[in-house]
Amino acid sequence: METAHAADLRASFVLDDLFEAGEVHGVYTHDDRLLVGGAVPGAGQLELPAWTEVLGVESHLERRELGIINVGESGHVLVDGEKFELGHLDGLYVGRGCEVTFAGADAAFYFVSATAGASYPTTPLVHADVEPVAIGSAQAASERHLYRYAWGSDLQTANLQFGVTVISDGSVWNTLPPHLHDRRTEVYLYADLAEGERVFHFMGQPGATRHVVLADRQAVISPPWSIHAGAGTSSYAFIWAMAGENNAYTDLSPVALEDL
């Protein structure tokens, strides 16, 4: 990473083509074997692909669990035929063994699946009903609200954690100080960025950091050895998702700014 060109960094860590009208796209990473994807149904319906050649199964969730967040307008998800309405930034946890279909003319569904050794109930996660945690301050340009959807408490999952953090108007930083997750990979999807605005996302080992520049609905993979922090040119939100050896949300190692 220390000697990689910007194009090399993007090729290895940035997911910039997840959302295409009428299609489901997915990227499989060997970092904690996460599968990250996007579904834009348009006028029709889209099935969650099995991607048998990658996952080695006949159904995507045969041995996996799934987190979904709608980054578009209202739509719905069918889980074994049961309909779940999702507005903007609403989420849905889907347990192992289910079949999933996406629908909604103006919806755009972001999803992350992780390996699961147990099955837990499908659970809707309405953004407005989740009590946010206030973090940071306006003085430090880091005021934000953390919405924990699945985080190792309240909602039980096998490995997956995910949620949304919304940056307040006038603030830019999304994680400060930065930190490491030695036992977990984390993926960020940036959302609600206006056209032309960008986030400068920092990654790499402490003392040798690099950055990538991301637009709306682009994601970046942060392996366990990499810090993650970012600053935007306007207010925005980001969806975080993690899986690994430990599903306790507080299982992290802060990195002091003087160590960067």
Side-chain angles (χ1 to χ4, degrees):
M1 174 174 272
E2 291 182 43
T3 59
H5 294 292
D8 298 327
L9 292 176
R10 296 191 70 87
S12 297
F13 299 106
V14 174
L15 314 178
D16 56 7
D17 59 355
L18 295 179
F19 299 93
E20 185 171 344
E23 296 188 13
V24 182
H25 287 193
V27 175
Y28 180 86
T29 171
H30 284 276
D31 292 300
D32 287 324
R33 303 200 178 268
L34 290 170
L35 196 148
V36 183
V40 185
Q45 292 188 341
L46 295 172
E47 307 288 336
L48 177 65
W51 284 307
T52 301
E53 68 280 7
V54 175
L55 301 180
V57 293
E58 297 303 317
S59 173
H60 189 113
L61 298 183
E62 186 174 321
R63 297 196 297 259
R64 287 178 163 261
E65 59 188 351
L66 182 71
I68 303 169
I69 294 181
N70 183 8
V71 296
E73 301 305 317
S74 295
H76 66 266
V77 178
L78 297 172
V79 180
D80 291 342
E82 184 178 357
K83 186 176 182 179
F84 295 90
E85 298 283 353
L86 272 68
H88 185 64
L89 294 186
D90 286 347
L92 183 69
Y93 169 77
V94 183
R96 191 181 70 174
C98 297
E99 297 292 336
V100 174
T101 302
F102 304 99
D106 299 313
F109 298 101
Y110 174 66
F111 61 85
V112 179
S113 73
T115 57
S119 299
Y120 296 103
T122 296
T123 305
L125 301 157
V126 179
H127 181 69
D129 293 343
V130 177
E131 184 69 28
V133 178
I135 306 175
S137 68
Q139 292 82 359
S142 62
E143 186 176 31
R144 58 202 188 273
H145 289 86
L146 170 69
Y147 295 82
R148 297 178 293 191
Y149 289 0
W151 55 289
S153 183
D154 297 338
L155 174 65
Q156 190 167 12
T157 67
N159 293 302
L160 188 62
Q161 298 178 63
F162 65 100
V164 180
T165 300
V166 178
I167 312 304
S168 300
D169 288 341
S171 286
V172 299
W173 288 100
N174 62 48
T175 302
L176 202 68
H179 55 265
L180 296 166
H181 290 295
D182 287 339
R183 286 170 284 275
R184 290 173 293 166
T185 296
E186 185 162 15
V187 179
Y188 278 11
L189 175 86
Y190 288 102
D192 292 352
L193 267 168
E195 185 176 357
E197 304 294 343
R198 294 293 186 269
V199 171
F200 290 74
H201 181 91
F202 297 93
M203 56 188 308
Q205 293 181 313
T209 58
R210 304 293 302 278
H211 75 273
V212 290
V213 182
L214 301 179
D216 187 50
R217 297 185 184 179
Q218 293 184 338
V220 58
I221 299 166
S222 293
W225 47 264
S226 174
I227 70 157
H228 35 279
T233 59
S234 69
S235 60
Y236 58 97
F238 70 95
I239 297 168
W240 44 271
M242 294 179 278
E245 293 294 334
N246 193 327
N247 65 355
Y249 179 79
T250 55
D251 180 25
L252 55 83
S253 302
V255 178
L257 294 178
E258 55 266 30
D259 292 332
L260 296 181

